Amino acid sequence: MTANELRTKYIEFFKSKNHVEISGKSLIPENDPSVLFTTAGMHPLVPYLMGEPHPAGKRLTDYQKCVRTGDIDEVGDASHLTCFEMLGNWSLGDYFKKESIGFSYEFLTSKEWLGLDPELLSVTVFAGDENAPRDDESASYWMEVGMPKDRIAYLPASDNWWAAGPTGPCGPDTEIFYWVGEGKPGAGSNKATDSANWMEIWNNVFMEYNRIDEKTLVKLPKQNVDTGMGLERTTTILEGKTSVYLTEIFQPIIKGIEALSGYTYGTDEGKDKSVRIITDHIRSAVFILGDPKGVVPSNVGAGYVLRRLIRRAVRHGKKLGIEQAFLPGLAQIVIENFKGPYPELEENKEKVFSELQAEEKKFSDTLRKGEAEFEKLLPNLMKNPQKVIPGRVAFRLYDTFGFPIELTEELAAEQGFTVDREGFKEAEKKHQELSRTQSAGAFKGGLAEQSEITTKYHTATHLLHRALKNVLGDHVAQKGSNITAERMRFDFSHPAPMTKEEIQKVEDIVNEQIKRDLPVTMEIMDLEEAKKSGATALFGEKYESKVKVYTIGDFSKEVCGGPHVEHTGVIGTFKIQKEQSSSAGVRRIRAVIS
């Protein structure tokens, strides 16, 4: 079964169970500073998991592209991916554990759907701790559908408890695994007894508690189900492969790399790893660049992750002997294979090609600069009788100039030197620890960030958007925003820098609406009806047929799913700190409220 067929079957199954298909959202989270990218299928549904009614109802299903950046360095083995797809279904205060487990088991094992052998499935459930009881309820429902008792493993919270953050919605989950070992699993085999041979394919999260503090859990008035099935891993199983990279999802890209390099995948593990890294990273880069709100390579945030993916792909291309520019050609393969479920890739292909071309050239220039810097260091290095380049020096070449350690070693060898690899790893570890500390707040998971202040900032973006249209013209369209508890950033289409007078006028208009203490109301309506009523809808955004429309007095009307205050008077004083260019034809405003 192909990935496209799996996608279709999954949606069809849950629609047959009275779920409404909703559109997957942007890879770039709107107004959520807690993550750089959409990291899971639940991420765009944060407001609804927190209690807001969803326009499409209580039973939902979709497919969602995701990016997780925490294990980029792990990519290269047979299973790790930076970019992946999640198939999801949700119950927002409707059904709970019994139905969720029944749906999952039916979809996986029924001949009408995936038809997997039940003997090759096992599950895990929450073992219980001092805060919450053992999830015997889920275990009983698994046994009810036919799961043998010895295929059910009870694991601790580190494995089977999902939480939004230190406080907020949380609860036990049950994970579903498929046997990837030889033959059939023996009696008593499950994730707890034989973890290496069981691969996770689906996770059902049961949000039934609200965490007040470290030791206090209370039952939620409305219990939600949030599930996610990994499309790539499940496709691997359905196609009988041993690695996601052997499936039809990735093989066209790998064939493209083989044609460029002259290397045949599967003949050398070291080179195979480079092929897998290029394959994953080019797909990830295309999905990020091809997103309607796609970022571009830069030295901060999501742009830095994108730059790192592109440069790592180029570096491994050189390891395979590819000297010419090659990323745009591989990007074309990615777009061709994924434009069906993700038509935005085709729509934004020129941007994808131009950014990849520019970044590939820039990195080639960087490599030349690194070589020149190495030449400058040589006189001092020659004074070292041990002929060892210190690890901190090698790391500075890598960190400052993007110069790979392997190339430093090659140049060092030509001069009769070696490189202190352990010293390099130590310097790299210190740098990673510092980076993790500095960006700890950027990977928390989304649900914890619906605070009072971010809600005020989000509402203020509506006022700013309307004020910009009033002052600059109706050509103004929101191109993205980013909100933290300290400030808001708002990108919008406009061909020239704003004058001081225009900035002041916009600021005055926003503050005037705040002082008027306008009511903020919401109604659910058809998308076309919303547009006809004058509501602003974001360009490139995917909307459901039913949408939420927020109206701010007589001033603003906008399609939106984010959190909002009830009246503008609580927002505070709005101040524009900076107006600058974001990219060609796009301006950026940075503002604060106090």
Side-chain angles (χ1 to χ4, degrees), residues 107 188 229 238 271 307 311 314 415 547:
F107 181 68
M229 170 185 270
L238 294 170
K271 290 183 177 180
R307 170 162 285 167
R311 293 189 169 192
V314 172
Q415 305 294 331
V547 295

Side-chain angles (χ1 to χ4, degrees), residues 25 30-32 42-55 92 169 222 224 446-447 449-450 458 548 550 560-564:
K25 299 300 182 183
E30 186 72 29
N31 300 319
D32 187 351
M42 55 71 62
H43 196 162
L45 292 168
V46 165
Y48 313 108
L49 295 169
M50 294 292 283
E52 285 191 36
H54 195 286
L92 304 176
K222 280 204 313 187
N224 300 320
L447 277 174
E449 290 300 312
Q450 303 295 314
H458 180 87
K548 286 184 176 182
Y550 282 87
C560 187
H564 299 76

Side-chain angles (χ1 to χ4, degrees), residues 249-291:
I249 299 173
F250 295 104
Q251 277 297 297
I253 308 172
I254 289 176
K255 295 298 181 189
I257 296 169
E258 288 180 331
L260 286 162
S261 65
Y263 169 71
T264 302
Y265 183 70
T267 55
D268 178 276
E269 178 52 31
K271 290 183 177 180
D272 283 356
K273 182 175 181 179
S274 290
V275 171
R276 289 190 291 264
I277 287 170
I278 297 168
T279 301
D280 169 83
H281 287 7
I282 187 59
R283 188 174 79 134
S284 302
V286 169
F287 272 53
I288 295 169
L289 285 165
D291 195 276

Side-chain angles (χ1 to χ4, degrees), residues 385-402:
Q386 282 80 35
K387 291 204 167 187
V388 176
I389 296 176
R392 57 181 173 74
V393 173
F395 182 73
R396 189 174 73 83
L397 284 169
Y398 171 70
D399 184 46
T400 306
F401 298 96

Side-chain angles (χ1 to χ4, degrees), residues 198-498:
W198 290 98
M199 181 169 72
E200 181 191 347
I201 56 173
W202 206 340
N203 184 17
N204 296 23
V205 177
F206 304 127
M207 286 181 248
E208 55 182 312
Y209 297 99
N210 184 31
R211 184 178 293 282
I212 306 301
D213 56 41
E214 191 176 338
K215 296 294 182 183
T216 310
L217 292 174
V218 296
K219 283 275 189 176
L220 285 168
K222 280 204 313 187
Q223 299 173 326
N224 300 320
V225 175
D226 159 37
T227 87
M229 170 185 270
L231 179 132
E232 290 85 1
R233 287 188 177 186
T234 307
T235 301
T236 303
I237 288 166
L238 294 170
E239 292 186 2
K241 306 297 184 183
T242 56
S243 163
V244 294
Y245 292 98
L246 295 176
T247 65
E248 49 83 31
I249 299 173
F250 295 104
Q251 277 297 297
I253 308 172
I254 289 176
K255 295 298 181 189
I257 296 169
E258 288 180 331
L260 286 162
S261 65
Y263 169 71
T264 302
Y265 183 70
T267 55
D268 178 276
E269 178 52 31
K271 290 183 177 180
D272 283 356
K273 182 175 181 179
S274 290
V275 171
R276 289 190 291 264
I277 287 170
I278 297 168
T279 301
D280 169 83
H281 287 7
I282 187 59
R283 188 174 79 134
S284 302
V286 169
F287 272 53
I288 295 169
L289 285 165
D291 195 276
K293 298 176 189 169
V295 297
V296 296
S298 70
N299 289 325
V300 294
Y304 176 73
V305 173
L306 174 59
R307 170 162 285 167
R308 188 176 171 205
L309 289 168
I310 294 171
R311 293 189 169 192
R312 198 163 183 246
V314 172
R315 178 184 136 206
H316 281 274
K318 292 189 180 300
K319 291 181 77 170
L320 291 175
I322 306 173
E323 293 300 327
Q324 74 273 32
F326 67 95
L327 293 184
L330 293 181
Q332 180 62 62
I333 297 173
V334 176
I335 292 170
E336 195 59 37
N337 287 345
F338 292 96
K339 67 182 181 183
Y342 302 109
E344 62 271 22
L345 300 181
E346 175 75 17
E347 293 163 11
N348 296 302
K349 66 180 180 181
E350 294 309 320
K351 175 194 171 188
V352 172
F353 296 151
S354 63
E355 291 293 342
L356 286 173
Q357 188 175 38
E359 188 62 22
E360 193 167 3
K361 181 181 183 304
K362 193 177 291 183
F363 186 46
S364 295
D365 294 341
T366 294
L367 291 178
R368 282 195 293 274
K369 289 176 183 175
E371 289 173 352
E373 187 65 20
F374 182 85
E375 292 296 325
K376 288 181 190 175
L377 293 171
L378 266 181
N380 280 332
L381 294 174
M382 289 296 184
K383 297 173 185 176
N384 183 339
Q386 282 80 35
K387 291 204 167 187
V388 176
I389 296 176
R392 57 181 173 74
V393 173
F395 182 73
R396 189 174 73 83
L397 284 169
Y398 171 70
D399 184 46
T400 306
F401 298 96
F403 203 68
I405 179 68
E406 292 87 356
L407 291 183
T408 300
E409 287 179 321
E410 283 180 28
L411 293 174
E414 290 173 7
Q415 305 294 331
F417 277 72
T418 58
V419 176
D420 177 11
R421 269 275 186 169
E422 289 305 311
F424 177 88
K425 289 178 183 176
E426 186 62 33
E428 185 177 41
K429 184 180 177 184
K430 286 180 181 177
H431 176 78
Q432 288 173 341
E433 286 171 356
L434 178 63
S435 297
R436 258 186 229 112
T437 302
Q438 290 174 339
S439 62
F443 298 95
K444 289 184 290 186
L447 277 174
E449 290 300 312
Q450 303 295 314
S451 66
E452 182 181 344
I453 184 65
T454 57
T455 300
K456 290 178 180 179
Y457 270 119
H458 180 87
T459 310
T461 64
H462 288 243
L463 299 177
L464 175 59
H465 194 188
R466 184 69 257 174
L468 286 166
K469 283 178 175 289
N470 289 356
V471 173
L472 302 176
D474 283 337
H475 66 277
V476 168
Q478 181 177 342
K479 290 298 183 181
S481 65
N482 179 271
I483 289 172
T484 71
E486 290 76 37
R487 56 96 182 121
M488 64 180 284
R489 214 174 60 206
F490 188 87
D491 292 354
F492 60 99
S493 55
H494 187 57
M498 292 174 66

Side-chain angles (χ1 to χ4, degrees), residues 51-67:
E52 285 191 36
H54 195 286
K58 294 181 177 181
R59 296 189 179 198
L60 311 173
T61 185
D62 77 357
Y63 57 90
Q64 173 72 48
K65 56 191 180 205
C66 307
V67 166

